[in-house]
């Protein structure tokens, strides 16, 4: 034990495998915030994200005996959360998914005549990112979240995602292309802001 | 720079929406299923021999208690009759945990011709849906019932089809939940009954100190969403039943309608077609 009786991840997994519900509680407290944030970035809906994360924890509880204790829990769990979030978005069809040719990044840019105040600028960058994410197909949005929020390498993403390698490669490539455009436009936007 | 910028923006967006004070545990607790994730050591047993004996006893109980038959991937011998009690029921048994020859109640799987010889009647075979293969057959002398088991591809457990055939006179009542919805279906010239769901059971087995017995407590709740479909009908003096299981036990899919999207899933109409094909 450490931190005043709190369990670390390995202890929590070990206890959960022994049928101790306290192990699950510890895992929830360890990973709920990061899982919720990742799910929210994919779903753009807090209630839906919460349902996804709760369900993922319950599934982890049911399937903990399939989990290899030698591996870290967080990557395994967070990747499943992102995958579930993609499925939830697909089911709800909340987003209008656009093909590459129809996608206009310019429309996501905020007004360039706004004040140069840093906090305003940061807020506009966030809004730009948020709007741009919303226009990505769910799978590509998940790729962005996995790569840039969860910090997974492409190899890690390919290893865990349950899609054929060719599909993953295509998805990552497309997401990267769109990200490149987004970043380019964001940089251009920032560069042409008034001093 | 670019990666840092996008990561920073994602962090800020998500931190605004999801504060560090988030606590999902109370909500998760209320959603936890009424069962444990199969602990590796539930009971403080002293000897492996005792563990083996209890396992054998559990098998006997599973075979003896209708709501537990699904756990053993077996089929019960009875009709659809709604439980007169609540959706939840608790049954308590005392069983002998010393293995004896009477434990040999589970027949060995064999081929259809072999069980046909044991049963003494013609076993009717189905026209199988594409991808399904014969797995095994069993004959239960007590219910004079033949079971033939099939699965889709290599997905034993998540795509299981079990056909039961026995004399109508040997059929026993099957208790289903009071909220179970039984539909009437037409199978050629015969009328059958169809329903989905099964009992969600939790078994607690406690050895009695200083004795060779154990108390088995079975708490069962009818769950219409469990990934099992049932079709029963009679043709003259012969009773038939088809059971289709579309998710592995235990899994979240098992308790939530099954995996209905991947190949090999069978609908009610598919089961009716299989029933009509039995020759």
């Amino acid at each position: 034990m450490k931190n005043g009786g709190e369990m670390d991840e390995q202890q929590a997994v070990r206890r959960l495998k022994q049928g101790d519900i306290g192990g699950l509680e510890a895992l929830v407290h360890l990973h709920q915030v990061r899982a919720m944030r990742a799910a929210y970035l994919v779903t753009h809906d807090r209630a839906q994200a919460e349902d996804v994360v709760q369900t993922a924890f319950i599934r982890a509880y049911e399937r903990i005996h399939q989990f290899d204790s030698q591996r870290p829990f967080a990557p395994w769990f967070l990747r499943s959360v992102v995958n579930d979030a993609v499925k939830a978005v697909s089911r709800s069809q909340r987003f209008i998914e656009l093909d590459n040719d129809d996608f206009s990044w310019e429309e996501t840019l905020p007004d360039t005549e706004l004040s140069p105040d840093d906090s305003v600028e940061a807020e506009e960058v966030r809004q730009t990112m948020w709007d741009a994410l919303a226009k990505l197909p769910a799978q590509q949005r998940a790729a962005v979240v996995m790569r840039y929020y969860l910090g997974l390498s492409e190899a890690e993403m390919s290893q865990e995602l349950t899609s054929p390698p060719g599909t993953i490669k295509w998805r990552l490539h497309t997401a990267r292309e769109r990200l490149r455009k987004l970043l380019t436009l964001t940089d251009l936007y920032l560069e042409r802001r008034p001093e | 720079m670019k990666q840092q910028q996008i990561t920073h923006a994602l962090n800020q967006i998500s931190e605004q929406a999801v504060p560090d004070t988030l606590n999902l545990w109370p909500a998760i607790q209320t959603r936890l299923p009424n069962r444990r994730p199969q602990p590796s050591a539930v009971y403080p047993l002293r000897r492996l021999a005792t563990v083996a004996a209890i396992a054998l006893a559990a098998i006997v109980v599973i075979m003896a208690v209708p709501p537990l038959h699904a756990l053993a991937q077996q089929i019960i011998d009875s009709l659809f009759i709604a439980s007169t009690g609540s959706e939840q029921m608790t049954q308590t048994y005392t069983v002998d945990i010393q293995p004896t020859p009477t434990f040999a109640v589970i027949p060995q799987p064999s081929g259809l011709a072999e069980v046909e010889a044991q049963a003494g009647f013609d076993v009717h075979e189905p026209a199988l849906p594409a991808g399904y293969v014969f797995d095994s057959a069993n004959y239960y002398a007590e219910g004079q019932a033949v079971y033939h088991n099939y699965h889709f591809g290599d997905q034993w457990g998540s795509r299981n089809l079990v056909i039961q055939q026995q004399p109508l006179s040997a059929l026993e009542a099957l208790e289903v939940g009071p909220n179970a919805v039984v539909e009437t279906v037409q199978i050629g010239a015969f009328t059958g009954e169809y329903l989905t769901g099964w009992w969600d059971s939790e078994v607690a087995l406690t050895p009695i100190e200083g004795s060779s017995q154990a108390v088995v407590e079975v708490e069962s709740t009818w769950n219409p969403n469990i990934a099992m479909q049932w079709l029963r009908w009679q043709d003259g003096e012969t009773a038939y039943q088809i059971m289709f299981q579309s998710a592995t036990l235990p899994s979240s899919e098992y308790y939530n309608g099954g995996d209905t999207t991947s190949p090999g899933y069978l609908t009610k109409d598919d089961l009716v077609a299989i029933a009509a094909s039995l020759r």
Side-chain angles (χ1 to χ4, degrees), chain B residues 74-188:
Chain B
Q74 302 296 339
I75 302 300
I76 31 61
D77 323 311
S78 44
L79 290 168
F80 297 146
I81 293 180
S83 167
T84 53
S86 67
E87 292 173 26
Q88 191 167 39
M89 62 180 177
T90 302
Q91 296 158 298
T92 304
Y93 304 85
T94 300
V95 298
D96 196 331
I97 58 175
Q98 294 300 325
T100 72
T102 58
F103 284 113
V105 297
I106 305 173
Q108 292 298 311
S110 49
L112 268 180
E114 194 176 340
V115 297
E116 199 169 48
Q118 290 176 292
F121 53 78
D122 290 338
V123 176
H124 294 159
E125 297 181 55
L128 288 172
Y132 274 82
V133 294
F134 174 76
D135 181 281
S136 61
N138 311 84
Y139 175 67
Y140 286 81
E142 188 179 348
Q144 302 174 52
V146 167
Y147 301 90
H148 27 134
N149 312 295
Y150 306 85
H151 62 265
F152 179 76
D154 59 357
Q155 297 179 45
W156 197 95
S158 61
R159 291 286 183 264
N160 277 21
L161 182 69
V162 183
I163 300 176
Q164 170 187 341
Q165 179 182 341
Q166 67 188 132
L168 187 63
S169 57
L171 208 59
E172 294 178 1
L174 163 62
E175 192 170 24
V176 298
N179 57 338
V181 178
V182 179
E183 295 178 48
T184 300
V185 294
Q186 199 64 31
I187 304 166

